[in-house]
Amino acid sequence: MIKADETHAEPGRYRIAVRELCAFAAREGDLDLRFTPSPTAQQGIRGHQRIVRRRGKDYESEISLSGDIGNLTIRGRADGYDPKRNCLEEIKTHRGDLSRQPAHHRALHWAQARVYGVLMCRSRDLEGITLALVYLDIAADAPRGAKDEQNEQTEPKKGQAQHDEQRLEAWWSREALEAELARLAARFSEFAANELAHRSARDSALSRLAFPWPSWRPGQRQLAEHAYKAVMTGRELLAEAPTGTGKTLATLYPALRAMPASGTDRLFYLTARTPGRALALDALATLAPAADDSEDQDKTPATPLRILELGARSKTCEHPTLACHGESCPLARGFYDRLPAARAAALADQRPLNLATTRRHALAHDICPYFLAQELSRWADVIIGDHNHYFDSHALLFALSQANDWRTVVLVDESHNLIERARGMYSTELDARQFHFLLKQLSRTGHPAPLRSASRALARQWRALEQLKQGTDAETQASKVDSKDAGHKAQRLALEALPGDFLKALSQWTGAMGDWLAEPDKAASPAAARQQPARATATQAPEQLGLIASDASPTAPSDADTGTATTASGPASSTARRRVEPDVEMMEAYFAALTLARLAEGYGDHSLFEVELAATPPARQASLASDSSSSSGAASAVGAEAGAGAGAAAAGAAARPRKARGRSVRQIQPRLRCVSPAPWLAPRLRASHATLLFSATLNPPAYHHRLLGLADDAVWLSVDSPFSAAQVQVSRHRLSTRLRDRDASCRPIAELMARQYRQRPGNYLAFFSSFAYLEQVASTLQQLAPEIPQWRQTRAMTEAERTNFIQRFTPEGQGIGFAVLGGAFGEGIDLPGSRLIGAFIATLGLAGFSPENEAHKQRLATWLDNDAQRRSQPQQAEGDPHGDTRAPCPVIQPLNADDCTYLYPGLTRVVQAAGRVIRSEQDQGVIHLIDDRFMRPEVARLLPRWWSPTD
């Protein structure tokens, strides 16, 4: 990452990183996302360090360089420089055969090296320089002896470093390098001039931006003022503002108005649902109206603000069944050749670039809409997207911000969802059934020996996970929770430390798998060809194929899924081979393993490693024997066939005492679960200039503050509701909706609903904790009052079915819609006026009591204690390197892990669902809270302050 300087480029100069300049000016040809296994970030760092160790003490690494040409200021960090040989190195780590690297990738690498070369010549006053592309194969075993660390020669010794390091060298004169830089700069210079002019016009217009309405809503100005102060001072703001405050406008307006004075480069508006993006686009259209298509030139000119909407790939890909490269997808063919014209047309369009507009520009130039939007993200001022576009581990917006050293302001709408969303981003599991069949297949003769060995080792360690409950791993403490499934015992292990042997085996397997994926054609043999199942093949991940999860649903292979390899001239002969290629299922497993290994690198008290052991019929345990600790058990662990000697082995085994058979791979489900996302989110919050997180339900604030990883000096704001207690009648009912009391509660709830409906006919929503409970009450109501129309949410509703459900709530309509709390209809829908006049909420929304949730609670309790201790440590004051002055310790609000696991998430869902009733100052409605626990003081404190509930 290029760090920001204290001083900015001179006025009239455009700052750009070396990588970005080359990406803009030197890329050409097809969009090619065919998968080639690449090192992880940690492997890349270690690879660079390996090269530096070999070069000796005079070798310079990470050299900061900058220079001007025309209206550009170019900056970057060169990987390494050997002053003795006057050689500048651009280091790239890779896996497998380098000859498989696409030519346009190599051309881009040379372009970067040439730009660094000319900047180095200017910096050291050199007349010329040797440029080297150094490709390090991280899969090769690198020597790590003392001789290598002391070696000061640039050339690797024969047989020592050549096997993992390939060099491409060329000497360039300074004059030739200057000419190359001038050529690249010429391609970007005009674009840069337009960008500078756009930035100047944008800041000038935003500094005069006026609030679009003659008056503010109640509480709206208060929120806007705090938002403006947060942006100007570079703070984090956590704001709870009830529905009807106008949160979208109250945060966008001050953030836009502060952009010029705060030096903000980009504004990100992130939301959890598609309707939230639509609201943001509407608000921006009000604040910064687009150009009018009419011929009336006297109208107010468009505000020079580039607005871009990002969508999910599953909804923007034109050819989801085609692979993302020019040989497959027509919109990838020549992508970079046609990109400049499409980019210019899109940026010249003064209308917001929503999904439809971006698609229109993309198809007009025959390129992919999804990847055009990603390219436009580099040049848009305001980007509207999902939470994962910034907070996910591979987030596009965060990566662009880091690479370009942007000063960003991040607005997070519906931030009450971010805790659970982030937990999902940083949790993963390995599909036990998928790996069971995959490891069985990969261990067969014919695949590369390292892959066969790694697959067997992984299977052994996988099976060994069930032994952790017996404390066989001294470094792992496991808490066991048993449950019963159809009379057979199932177990869940919650591990406080990672199973080191399993992760080591997984890492070795991903390495071997990556080597094979890099060169799959070298793996085939006649034996492998005969055993390879005849399934669809691919050399890339499902998302790179353009396949969505529902589109890529390969079935598990069976022993019968075999075929004989054939060639164009007939069946396979002794010299004919059928190429064995990875399929989609293999790629899914490979990427899942990489994800788990990557998340394990950041494992701490905020995460939990779990092993779920499936129930096993006792009869099978007693009758089947295995010995996973023996060498023959390696084959048994992956289900390999014993061959012709199987019968003899079985006869020998029968003579020995039989031993209960352990679980197979498919019966052992490992997962890494994020308990608190704070350690993952905090670095991203600190990386932005200011972050505003807002929602209608952020109570209690300490829960969101700590689990989201906000800074100790983050500002909390609670905005008063614009609504009055007279608008809504809130009633609490002494009924138990606990599982043991549900049968008895159905009739009283149905009678309450019928009585309320007859008293005031109209549209109502009824929320329940489960589909089973929903069906019970709905059926009871149908028997008691068949004249009351009702419609029900069902499992796995399609988008069309969800739309039909909502469309039943018309201004003149009457009836009761039944839904599950926390589902699609609990938030994110707007039913103002008579479209919805009341809600019945027959649950506290608490998560069910389960071994999984109890393990989560126990781990969260540990993290909360440790987090409180970390936050209580005195912080060294900024600018005090000796630590003589300490910043005051923050006041840490105590949190109870039980409440954080059950109560707070449940009450958030309740308040969100109840918030569907009153949407404006003119609405009138009723809310029935059906559970005796709503009367408890600790629960009542979490309900909206403006309510006046009656019992």
Side-chain angles (χ1 to χ4, degrees):
M1 169 185 167
I2 303 172
K3 299 293 185 182
D5 291 337
E6 294 297 328
T7 58
H8 294 277
E10 301 173 9
R13 307 196 67 82
Y14 189 93
R15 291 192 308 159
I16 188 170
V18 171
R19 285 177 176 269
E20 291 300 308
L21 174 64
C22 295
F24 184 95
R27 287 189 301 181
E28 56 187 19
D30 296 349
L31 174 69
D32 193 343
L33 293 186
R34 274 176 287 201
F35 175 74
T36 54
S38 58
T40 66
Q42 291 297 324
Q43 289 173 332
I45 292 172
R46 289 194 292 267
H48 278 66
Q49 293 171 344
R50 185 194 304 180
I51 294 294
V52 172
R53 282 197 302 269
R54 293 174 181 173
R55 298 301 189 250
K57 61 181 180 180
D58 294 330
Y59 187 79
E60 303 175 33
S61 61
E62 296 294 315
I63 309 106
S64 295
L65 299 170
S66 65
D68 297 339
I69 182 171
N71 60 352
L72 304 179
T73 294
I74 306 169
R75 309 190 317 168
R77 288 185 186 270
D79 290 331
Y81 177 67
D82 183 354
K84 290 186 175 181
R85 295 187 63 241
N86 186 26
C87 179
L88 184 142
E89 295 183 335
E90 178 72 5
I91 303 171
K92 304 292 183 183
T93 53
H94 74 101
R95 278 186 177 275
D97 186 359
L98 194 61
S99 66
R100 298 169 63 90
Q101 183 185 61
H104 64 277
H105 287 187
R106 182 75 53 80
L108 186 61
H109 296 164
W110 273 122
Q112 293 172 2
R114 288 192 292 267
V115 176
Y116 286 126
V118 68
L119 296 180
M120 178 64 81
C121 286
R122 292 183 182 183
S123 174
R124 307 291 173 95
D125 195 21
L126 304 174
E127 293 302 319
I129 193 171
T130 299
L131 302 180
L133 293 182
V134 180
Y135 290 100
L136 179 71
D137 186 355
I138 56 96
D141 293 328
R144 297 184 179 275
K147 292 182 179 180
D148 299 297
E149 297 186 5
Q150 298 173 1
N151 183 15
E152 296 181 6
Q153 299 180 12
T154 303
E155 290 294 336
K157 293 181 180 180
K158 290 185 178 180
Q160 189 174 46
Q162 287 180 332
H163 70 291
D164 69 335
E165 180 183 329
Q166 296 187 46
R167 297 174 60 87
L168 302 174
E169 289 191 0
W171 186 89
W172 285 77
S173 68
R174 178 172 176 173
E175 181 181 3
L177 289 174
E178 290 283 2
E180 286 294 308
L181 178 61
R183 181 178 63 85
L184 288 180
R187 295 184 179 181
F188 187 70
S189 181
E190 182 179 355
F191 188 88
N194 293 335
E195 287 299 293
L196 290 169
H198 167 76
R199 176 65 176 260
S200 177
R202 184 202 78 178
D203 287 351
S204 176
L206 292 181
S207 64
R208 303 188 306 271
L209 188 66
F211 191 69
W213 306 116
S215 62
W216 300 79
R217 292 184 184 181
Q220 190 176 38
R221 187 182 186 103
Q222 181 187 12
L223 176 57
E225 289 175 350
H226 278 76
Y228 184 83
K229 292 176 182 177
V231 175
M232 293 302 297
T233 58
R235 301 280 291 278
E236 295 167 5
L237 172 67
L238 185 66
E240 183 182 64
T243 300
T245 307
K247 294 184 292 291
T248 305
L249 205 58
T251 51
L252 275 172
Y253 170 67
L256 290 171
R257 183 67 184 268
M259 284 183 79
S262 64
T264 300
D265 297 309
R266 301 292 188 273
L267 177 64
F268 302 150
Y269 189 98
L270 311 175
T271 184
R273 300 173 184 269
T274 301
R277 297 205 310 265
L279 289 174
L281 287 169
D282 291 342
L284 287 167
T286 303
L287 285 166
D292 199 304
D293 292 332
S294 67
E295 298 179 0
D296 186 355
Q297 301 300 320
D298 295 331
K299 292 195 174 185
T300 303
T303 304
L305 188 68
R306 294 174 182 162
I307 301 167
L308 174 69
E309 179 188 10
L310 295 178
R313 183 170 181 170
S314 59
K315 296 183 178 180
T316 55
C317 179
E318 294 291 315
H319 303 292
T321 61
L322 301 182
C324 292
H325 59 82
E327 296 176 10
S328 177
C329 179
L331 299 181
R333 190 175 306 122
F335 178 89
Y336 291 111
D337 299 330
R338 295 190 290 272
L339 174 62
R343 178 175 53 214
L347 296 181
D349 194 337
Q350 295 181 326
R351 292 166 294 186
L353 294 170
N354 57 26
L355 298 183
T357 303
T358 301
R359 179 177 183 269
R360 184 172 64 252
H361 285 296
L363 298 184
H365 294 84
D366 294 324
I367 65 174
C368 174
Y370 175 76
F371 286 102
L372 175 60
Q374 293 205 336
E375 290 293 328
L376 294 175
S377 298
R378 303 171 185 270
W379 317 110
D381 301 309
V382 180
I383 301 176
I384 303 169
D386 189 87
H387 289 169
N388 61 19
H389 284 124
Y390 186 81
F391 291 109
D392 188 77
S393 58
H394 298 293
L396 169 70
L397 297 183
F398 180 74
L400 288 177
S401 300
Q402 297 293 95
N404 294 283
D405 191 27
W406 286 340
R407 173 172 286 193
T408 61
V409 171
V410 182
L411 309 183
V412 186
D413 192 8
E414 301 176 300
S415 53
H416 65 278
N417 285 309
L418 186 54
I419 293 176
E420 283 303 318
R421 288 289 302 276
R423 280 173 174 158
M425 296 173 197
Y426 294 98
S427 299
T428 190
E429 68 178 9
L430 303 181
D431 188 325
R433 180 176 176 82
Q434 184 182 58
F435 269 88
H436 173 83
F437 290 105
L438 178 60
L439 296 179
K440 177 180 177 181
Q441 176 185 348
L442 294 178
S443 62
R444 288 171 175 157
T445 302
H447 289 88
L451 182 58
R452 295 200 309 271
S453 176
S455 297
R456 291 167 180 160
L458 177 57
R460 284 196 300 271
Q461 293 302 325
W462 198 307
R463 290 168 58 89
L465 288 175
E466 75 168 313
Q467 302 302 322
L468 292 178
K469 68 178 184 292
Q470 300 174 5
T472 56
D473 189 341
E475 298 181 356
T476 301
Q477 298 296 324
S479 60
K480 181 180 73 173
V481 186
D482 293 350
S483 61
K484 291 189 175 181
D485 181 13
H488 305 299
K489 183 174 291 188
Q491 298 171 351
R492 180 185 301 274
L493 309 180
L495 309 183
E496 296 178 1
L498 290 172
D501 292 341
F502 172 77
L503 289 176
K504 181 179 179 180
L506 185 69
S507 177
Q508 292 172 344
W509 182 81
T510 56
M513 189 75 172
D515 295 340
W516 177 54
L517 293 175
E519 302 176 79
D521 51 336
K522 292 186 178 181
S525 71
R530 286 191 297 272
Q531 296 182 31
Q532 175 72 4
R535 294 183 291 172
T537 60
T539 54
Q540 58 193 117
E543 61 269 22
Q544 291 170 321
L545 283 165
L547 295 176
I548 313 309
S550 59
D551 301 328
S553 54
T555 57
S558 65
D559 292 340
D561 292 333
T562 59
T564 303
T566 59
T567 64
S569 58
S573 65
S574 59
T575 59
R577 291 187 178 184
R578 171 179 163 185
R579 178 174 174 176
V580 180
E581 292 187 346
D583 60 21
V584 172
E585 187 175 355
M586 290 182 184
M587 297 304 301
E588 288 178 344
Y590 175 65
F591 276 92
L594 287 177
T595 299
L596 190 146
R598 174 178 51 79
L599 293 178
E601 292 178 353
Y603 187 84
D605 57 5
H606 57 278
S607 299
L608 182 65
F609 194 93
E610 294 179 320
V611 180
E612 185 175 347
L613 306 176
T616 303
R620 180 181 179 184
Q621 285 188 327
S623 62
L624 297 180
S626 71
D627 186 2
S628 60
S629 61
S630 67
S631 57
S632 62
S636 174
V638 294
E641 298 294 338
R656 298 189 300 270
R658 289 204 162 190
K659 180 180 176 181
R661 178 171 183 166
R663 291 175 172 85
S664 65
V665 167
R666 62 179 165 184
Q667 295 171 320
I668 304 172
Q669 179 69 62
R671 63 173 58 89
L672 196 156
R673 191 148 57 101
C674 176
V675 173
S676 169
W680 298 109
L681 300 182
R684 292 167 187 257
L685 295 173
R686 301 301 98 76
S688 66
H689 171 66
T691 305
L692 316 180
L693 303 101
F694 48 97
S695 171
T697 49
L698 292 175
N699 194 25
Y703 168 68
H704 296 88
H705 186 151
R706 293 181 60 185
L707 268 71
L708 290 175
L710 270 64
D712 293 332
D713 64 349
V715 178
W716 161 251
L717 172 67
S718 180
V719 178
D720 291 335
S721 174
F723 309 137
S724 67
Q727 289 183 251
V728 61
Q729 178 185 349
V730 181
S731 301
R732 296 181 294 192
H733 301 271
R734 293 184 181 276
L735 282 173
S736 173
T737 62
R738 298 169 181 83
L739 182 60
R740 64 177 181 268
D741 301 321
R742 285 184 184 170
D743 290 342
S745 69
C746 290
R747 187 174 183 88
I749 294 174
E751 290 174 347
L752 170 65
M753 297 170 70
R755 186 165 59 250
Q756 173 62 50
Y757 181 86
R758 290 163 180 160
Q759 180 182 343
R760 186 184 174 190
N763 290 317
Y764 293 85
L765 262 172
F767 294 97
F768 297 87
S769 55
S770 67
F771 283 102
Y773 196 15
L774 178 155
E775 290 293 335
Q776 280 184 280
V777 177
S779 299
T780 304
L781 177 63
Q782 196 167 36
Q783 294 174 359
L784 288 176
E787 74 281 3
I788 299 178
Q790 60 172 258
W791 51 100
R792 308 175 189 180
Q793 178 184 359
T794 58
R795 290 181 174 88
M797 292 180 77
T798 65
E799 187 170 349
E801 289 171 335
R802 290 195 297 268
T803 300
N804 291 336
F805 185 94
I806 294 298
Q807 288 177 345
R808 293 287 299 270
F809 294 89
T810 62
E812 299 80 19
Q814 294 182 353
I816 301 176
F818 286 77
V820 172
L821 190 69
F825 308 113
E827 61 178 284
I829 59 173
D830 192 24
L831 301 171
S834 60
R835 293 187 65 188
L836 184 67
I837 63 171
F840 305 92
I841 303 176
T843 174
L844 259 70
L846 306 183
F849 183 87
S850 67
E852 182 178 6
N853 288 332
E854 284 298 289
H856 175 103
K857 181 185 73 175
Q858 294 172 14
R859 188 62 166 175
L860 183 59
T862 301
W863 180 84
L864 288 171
D865 291 341
N866 295 339
D867 179 65
Q869 294 179 11
R870 286 188 290 262
R871 288 178 179 262
S872 298
Q873 296 296 323
Q875 302 295 318
Q876 180 175 312
E878 187 175 353
D880 178 29
H882 303 291
D884 297 329
T885 304
R886 297 282 176 169
C889 297
V891 177
I892 306 301
Q893 295 290 335
L895 289 173
N896 180 281
D898 189 86
D899 291 340
C900 291
T901 303
Y902 297 102
L903 183 61
Y904 299 154
L907 265 293
T908 295
R909 289 187 281 267
V910 168
V911 176
Q912 280 288 327
R916 303 309 98 201
V917 178
I918 304 299
R919 309 296 294 178
S920 70
E921 291 88 340
Q922 291 75 41
D923 286 354
Q924 297 283 331
V926 296
I927 298 172
H928 292 277
L929 303 177
I930 308 172
D931 194 286
D932 55 354
R933 290 168 290 182
F934 280 114
M935 300 177 186
R936 294 179 179 178
E938 65 271 21
V939 174
R941 284 196 298 267
L942 300 175
L943 300 178
R945 297 192 308 271
W946 65 279
W947 286 3
S948 294
T950 59
D951 300 337

